[in-house]
Amino acid sequence: MKKLMTGNEAVAYGAYLNGVRVGAAYPGTPSTQIMEHFALYPGVFAEWAPNEKVAMDVAIGAAYAGTRALVSTKHVGLNVAADSLFYAVYTGLNAGLIIACADDPGMHSSQNEQDNRNYAKFAKVPMLEPADSEEAKQFAGVALEISESFDTPVIMRFVTRTSHSSSLVEMSPDEAPPPYGEPIPFKRDPQKYTMVPAYARLRHPVVEDRIKRLVQYAETSPLNRIESGDDTLGIIAAGSVYQYAREVFPHATFLKLGMVYPLPEKLIREFASRVHEVVVIEELDPFFEEQIRCMGIKVRGKDIFPMIGEFSPTLIRRCAAAAGLIQMTEDEAEAAAYLSDTAALPVRPPILCPGCGHRGMFNVLREAGVLVLGDIGCYTLGVAPPLNAMHFTGCMGASIGVAHGFDKAKTNERFVALLGDSTFFHAGIHPIIDVLYNLGTTTTIIADNRTTGMTGHQHHPGTGFTLQMQQTARIDIINLVRSIGYKKVDVVDPYLMDEFSRILEDHLASQEPSVIVALRPCALQMKEKKTPPQIDPELCSNCGSCLDLGCSPLVQEEDYVRIDPVLCNGCGLCIQVCPSEAIKQQ
Amino acid sequence: MVAGFVYKFVLQKQLNNSSQRLFGKNNILSIILMEVEDDSVRKIDFLMAGVGGQGTILASNILAGVGMELGYDVKTAEVHGMAQRGGTVESHVRWGEKVFSPLVEQGKTDYLIGFEMLEAARWPMYLNKESVVLSNSYRIPPPSVNLGKATYPTQDEIEGILKRKGSKVLWLDATNLAGSLGNPAMAGVVLLGALSNLVGGTGEIWLEVIKRLVPEKFVEMNQKAYLEGKAVHFS
């Protein structure tokens, strides 16, 4: 039987089928659903860790203890977990460990488009890249076998288009959990597991030797395959790019790489010798191309295809045609001309939802004219017009440290650090300690919507539930910051803008480091909807004050503003900002 | 060293003599002879365009499920996360004998399904003269229009953009039809009902797939929405 699955679902399924019983992750688009789906299988333990580094340590610990483990993360999450990845490559493991890591070329929902294939080379760890969901399932099994045979973590690389694309997956006829016995006993072996310099020096040669043996494995592994075709053009590709290229070059000879690091040098030489021209098609960095050039093989790649942005069959066809590799049909050539038709259409960027508590907070911050050093989450949307109320976003947890830097540089700006509850647990606790410890004056606003919003409402240490919906201790942010030593801590509902404004001014005027918790559960998650207010067109002066809230139900008509009752959540912020008292609660 | 890995992605044949000559015997364990697609291979591509939160992902899952029931290879592609917060979203659904790319290629879609008028207008580069555009005539003004800084194009202007290549454009008041059944958010399912008249598959198949994919308490309502759309006949 076949089932339609996303790559995320399929790798979770493959991991489960192959005996993985411990999983850990922090949510991050496009990887989030890997752990959400893994958590649903019987007999597994799966957790949302506070951040990716903790998740990585948990999964490594489980693998040391002799149980196969899975950690999943988005590309930038591996930056957070990199320290742990590197020691695990030195120590090796006891049972298999898969690191499922999803890149986001084109930055659909990320702050950068780093190419995490570079981590494989950097950390000296094997990396597999599935091209569809069936491969995601199968490669999970192979990854575990490689992990145990070579005593190394294995990274499975995804991109948005393999994580969030669905394709057919052959289901195992036996849905019951496969037999998986007691954990393999952990052997106390400090020379292998305790990375003091003397022992780490002994491990480095093991790592180098391992990579050499992995090259031998890659030469003959069915993960890499040649698909014979016309010998004029030989294309080297992996993952979703292979799928696009297969459509653009139906007659070419392909080297389809399922193992993207280390590369099979002999196989690539053999392939190159059989075709007239070798072209590497790869998204983002010239990762294959540079290595193949170092082998002394003539190849084209980034002279034809861009280093920036996401690929598609369309892009590959246009670049290949411009380079003279193929001819485009009239229809294909004409499609590009339509871009100008759409250039004049009003754009539709993502915005805060109707009823979002962040909106009231941003309105207050904008009115106060403060510099907002922000962070990663739904509230990053506060940067967009008309709110225009975020002036920096870098990575998870950066807001507070950057604010402390502004403080110590003696800025003339009035500034705040701003981050969400899940982001606070992820990477906000250490910098908030830093502010207090190093005599800072920063005011940190924690926009607490009681969920991990942008990734689709995942639990976190402050919600009182685990990923597998067990009730648990709810870590209280207010008590936490008080116990760290913060004296000036206030909680305010961001719907109450006057009160928020008063508290903000009080904190900004103070020389004491302080915390404001802007508490309002996510409107999407609460699914509560009050009766929408109405605007009296007679009283409306069409001044635009309400429109400056950037709330989608507020619609500009000829000479007044109207509220779309289908979209409106009834939060009442617009009633508060209307100077003409034209907006009335029904 | 690594055992038990069965490779079954695509048709795998034993090396025959000619390919052994071509590639040599050494170092290559896995040569797969693909059956090269020719251009006449049957495929149907769908591009769904809407606003984040409008239910394009559910609709694309239903469409993919119907494709499976009809015996096609099926792939879909969509975007989660930031794009879902009221921004422009597009979902790709592909049916075919063998589908490689989950993304539809520009100039090659068979159907463009607009969940909102302006969103339909963004994708003319995917159309050709055989394409059919089926769009909801509902409008959700984007922030710049609400602020009075941009103008929402008229239905005629949008139709002009979509018809330039000779594609057929069909409008449906799907949000209001869905609203009359109790929930305007079912507009996507109404559109699928109208689409089913164009692409085939018995009503039973569609109703069954809807039943499988929609939460139980909403099944009946969504099946009604599907039938409401299916009852629409375009002149």
Side-chain angles (χ1 to χ4, degrees):
Chain A
M1 193 195 75
K2 285 186 173 172
K3 194 178 167 191
L4 192 69
M5 281 189 171
T6 62
N8 283 350
E9 289 172 79
V11 66
Y13 180 55
Y16 168 71
L17 281 183
N18 286 283
V20 173
R21 291 296 174 265
V22 173
Y26 180 81
T29 311
S31 71
T32 310
Q33 298 78 17
I34 297 174
M35 203 49 63
E36 284 184 330
H37 283 280
F38 179 72
L40 300 175
Y41 288 105
V44 306
F45 171 79
E47 71 168 42
W48 291 133
N51 67 33
E52 295 86 352
K53 185 205 163 17
V54 177
M56 184 75 82
D57 291 330
V58 170
I60 291 167
Y64 283 165
T67 293
R68 287 183 164 187
L70 168 70
V71 56
S72 58
T73 175
K74 72 182 293 175
H75 59 335
V76 289
L78 198 57
N79 300 341
V80 178
D83 223 0
S84 301
L85 168 66
F86 278 71
Y87 78 68
V89 172
Y90 267 44
T91 65
L93 305 146
N94 182 24
L97 173 65
I98 302 174
I99 299 163
C101 175
D103 289 9
D104 188 15
M107 295 176 271
H108 296 282
S109 201
S110 303
Q111 71 267 36
N112 75 21
E113 56 180 351
Q114 66 186 45
D115 185 338
N116 273 19
R117 291 178 300 171
N118 293 301
Y119 265 116
K121 191 159 178 279
F122 189 18
K124 301 175 196 284
V125 59
M127 178 181 270
L128 313 185
E129 181 166 4
D132 60 21
S133 299
E134 177 62 32
E135 286 194 353
K137 181 198 79 180
Q138 295 206 17
F139 283 17
V142 183
L144 288 161
E145 300 223 25
I146 294 173
S147 177
E148 289 174 3
S149 302
F150 291 88
D151 192 22
T152 175
V154 176
I155 302 179
M156 282 180 70
R157 183 199 188 222
F158 290 79
V159 294
T160 297
R161 299 304 182 178
T162 40
S163 277
H164 285 165
S165 286
S166 299
S167 56
L168 300 181
V169 173
E170 191 67 53
M171 301 302 287
S172 163
D174 182 15
E175 286 280 355
Y180 196 81
E182 291 292 303
I184 306 158
F186 178 73
K187 199 167 141 248
R188 295 184 190 192
D189 181 357
Q191 292 199 357
K192 177 165 163 34
Y193 292 112
T194 309
M195 289 301 94
V196 292
Y199 294 161
R201 282 182 205 115
L202 300 176
R203 292 299 296 177
H204 189 185
V206 173
V207 173
E208 298 301 336
D209 176 62
R210 180 200 291 153
I211 282 290
K212 283 191 189 132
R213 289 186 296 119
L214 280 161
V215 172
Q216 291 308 309
Y217 169 82
E219 299 287 3
T220 56
S221 165
L223 290 167
N224 300 322
R225 65 172 190 248
I226 290 174
E227 297 170 357
S228 64
D230 195 328
D231 65 1
T232 49
L233 185 62
I235 289 172
I236 300 177
S240 54
V241 173
Y242 157 79
Q243 306 282 14
Y244 309 151
R246 259 263 153 241
E247 296 203 351
V248 177
F249 304 96
H251 305 292
T253 292
F254 274 75
L255 173 57
K256 194 267 190 198
L257 295 172
M259 187 164 188
V260 296
Y261 191 82
L263 292 181
E265 183 170 343
K266 282 184 198 154
L267 182 64
I268 292 169
R269 267 184 212 293
E270 184 70 27
F271 176 76
S273 73
R274 299 299 176 187
V275 292
H276 291 128
E277 185 172 25
V278 180
V279 174
V280 177
I281 310 182
E282 54 188 333
E283 240 167 8
L284 303 176
D285 293 347
F287 182 75
F288 299 148
E289 186 182 346
E290 285 180 356
Q291 292 181 72
I292 294 169
R293 277 183 200 281
C294 283
M295 296 169 190
I297 296 168
K298 195 169 166 244
V299 16
R300 298 186 70 189
K302 291 299 173 189
D303 60 321
I304 305 174
F305 302 100
M307 282 181 65
I308 296 167
E310 186 178 50
F311 282 16
S312 64
T314 311
L315 177 134
I316 291 174
R317 189 179 302 281
R318 285 186 192 149
C319 292
L325 297 177
I326 54 166
Q327 300 265 315
M328 287 205 281
T329 65
E330 203 177 308
D331 271 354
E332 287 161 357
E334 268 188 22
Y338 287 83
L339 286 171
S340 57
D341 280 2
T342 58
L345 296 174
V347 295
R348 190 189 302 274
I351 51 168
L352 296 173
C353 304
C356 180
H358 300 328
R359 181 174 284 107
M361 172 181 75
F362 281 122
N363 192 56
V364 169
L365 291 166
R366 179 187 52 194
E367 296 303 308
V370 297
L371 182 77
V372 179
L373 303 163
D375 224 297
I376 306 261
C378 281
Y379 47 89
T380 312
L381 298 173
V383 69
L387 290 168
N388 301 315
M390 185 168 289
H391 309 103
F392 160 78
T393 295
C395 70
M396 294 286 286
S399 54
I400 303 172
V402 167
H404 185 56
F406 267 80
D407 185 16
K408 292 302 173 189
K410 299 187 172 25
T411 179
N412 292 322
E413 298 264 12
R414 294 189 336 144
F415 67 93
V416 294
L418 186 148
L419 77 176
D421 44 342
S422 192
T423 308
F424 176 71
F425 286 116
H426 180 287
I429 298 172
H430 289 89
I432 214 165
I433 288 174
D434 187 51
V435 169
L436 189 69
Y437 168 52
N438 282 306
L439 308 166
T441 67
T442 295
T443 294
T444 297
I445 300 176
I446 301 172
D448 185 358
N449 64 358
R450 291 291 158 94
T451 190
T452 316
M454 185 62 95
T455 47
H457 303 119
Q458 287 75 28
H459 284 292
H460 64 59
T463 67
F465 287 91
T466 69
L467 166 58
Q468 292 178 309
M469 288 309 288
Q470 283 181 291
Q471 207 159 359
T472 183
R474 191 177 73 75
I475 314 298
D476 187 290
I477 291 175
I478 296 152
N479 284 340
L480 178 62
V481 295
R482 286 211 172 107
S483 72
I484 286 170
Y486 277 81
K487 302 271 189 294
K488 196 170 180 64
V489 181
D490 281 298
V491 185
V492 60
D493 178 352
Y495 275 6
L496 308 176
M497 291 189 286
D498 287 345
E499 192 187 342
F500 198 127
S501 181
R502 186 183 54 74
I503 290 172
L504 177 69
E505 290 301 333
D506 172 49
H507 280 242
L508 288 173
S510 160
Q511 283 305 298
E512 197 182 345
S514 67
V515 173
I516 302 173
V517 177
L519 178 62
R520 166 58 61 173
C522 170
L524 265 194
Q525 200 177 23
M526 297 309 285
K527 295 195 171 81
E528 278 171 15
K529 188 172 155 135
K530 288 190 208 147
T531 311
Q534 281 184 1
I535 300 183
D536 184 339
E538 298 299 314
L539 293 175
C540 175
S541 65
N542 205 22
C543 67
S545 300
C546 59
L547 294 174
D548 282 342
L549 289 169
C551 192
S552 57
L554 292 160
V555 181
Q556 175 74 63
E557 296 290 353
E558 194 72 17
D559 55 358
Y560 67 99
V561 177
R562 172 176 67 85
I563 294 175
D564 181 335
V566 176
L567 298 175
C568 178
N569 175 276
C571 71
L573 290 179
C574 54
I575 300 174
Q576 295 177 50
V577 299
C578 180
S580 314
E581 296 184 5
I583 311 179
K584 301 260 169 43
Q585 192 68 54
Q586 296 302 297
Chain B
M1 198 172 317
V2 172
F5 173 48
V6 182
Y7 216 81
K8 50 186 174 184
F9 306 150
V10 288
L11 185 67
Q12 184 164 14
K13 291 181 182 167
Q14 291 295 319
L15 284 180
N16 58 29
N17 290 336
S18 65
S19 53
Q20 280 188 8
R21 272 198 307 279
L22 181 63
F23 287 101
K25 285 180 190 169
N26 298 332
N27 301 322
I28 301 169
L29 281 191
S30 175
I31 294 187
I32 291 171
L33 300 174
M34 307 276 304
E35 300 214 317
V36 173
E37 263 192 313
D38 80 49
D39 295 340
S40 64
V41 167
R42 254 182 97 203
K43 62 95 192 166
I44 307 183
D45 289 344
F46 305 89
L47 184 69
M48 303 205 182
V51 178
Q54 270 196 304
T56 52
I57 290 177
L58 172 66
S60 71
N61 285 339
I62 293 172
L63 196 48
V66 170
M68 275 178 76
E69 293 294 326
L70 295 176
Y72 288 105
D73 185 21
V74 170
K75 284 192 178 171
T76 74
E78 58 220 16
V79 169
H80 297 245
M82 193 170 241
Q84 284 184 291
R85 296 287 173 265
T88 290
V89 290
E90 99 273 13
S91 283
H92 302 241
V93 179
R94 307 193 67 204
W95 298 355
E97 305 283 328
K98 163 76 187 155
V99 179
F100 288 100
S101 165
L103 297 174
V104 177
E105 191 171 338
Q106 292 185 12
K108 298 194 177 174
T109 200
D110 297 282
Y111 296 94
L112 167 61
I113 300 137
F115 282 52
E116 195 270 355
M117 262 175 40
L118 173 59
E119 293 312 316
R122 291 190 202 284
W123 310 99
M125 60 294 252
Y126 281 85
L127 301 173
N128 57 55
K129 59 181 182 298
E130 310 290 335
S131 309
V132 176
V133 181
L134 171 64
S135 180
N136 191 355
S137 53
Y138 185 63
R139 296 161 181 243
I140 303 174
S144 55
V145 171
N146 282 344
L147 291 169
K149 290 184 176 149
T151 311
Y152 195 102
T154 66
Q155 189 162 341
D156 283 347
E157 285 168 340
I158 289 173
E159 195 163 314
I161 291 173
L162 295 171
K163 273 189 171 163
R164 188 147 85 94
K165 185 77 198 204
S167 314
K168 194 168 172 184
V169 179
L170 306 171
W171 295 104
L172 188 61
D173 193 4
T175 298
N176 284 330
L177 280 173
S180 68
L181 296 172
N183 188 354
M186 297 187 304
V189 179
V190 173
L191 286 166
L192 289 181
L195 180 70
S196 72
N197 290 330
L198 306 172
V199 299
T202 63
E204 286 71 37
I205 289 179
W206 291 77
L207 290 169
E208 184 55 38
V209 173
I210 289 169
K211 188 176 167 189
R212 205 166 63 216
L213 293 175
V214 171
E216 204 179 327
K217 61 178 174 175
F218 301 118
V219 167
E220 202 179 317
M221 219 176 174
N222 276 277
Q223 288 182 334
K224 266 190 197 159
Y226 165 80
L227 292 169
E228 187 78 16
K230 194 171 168 58
V232 175
H233 289 284
F234 297 99
S235 52

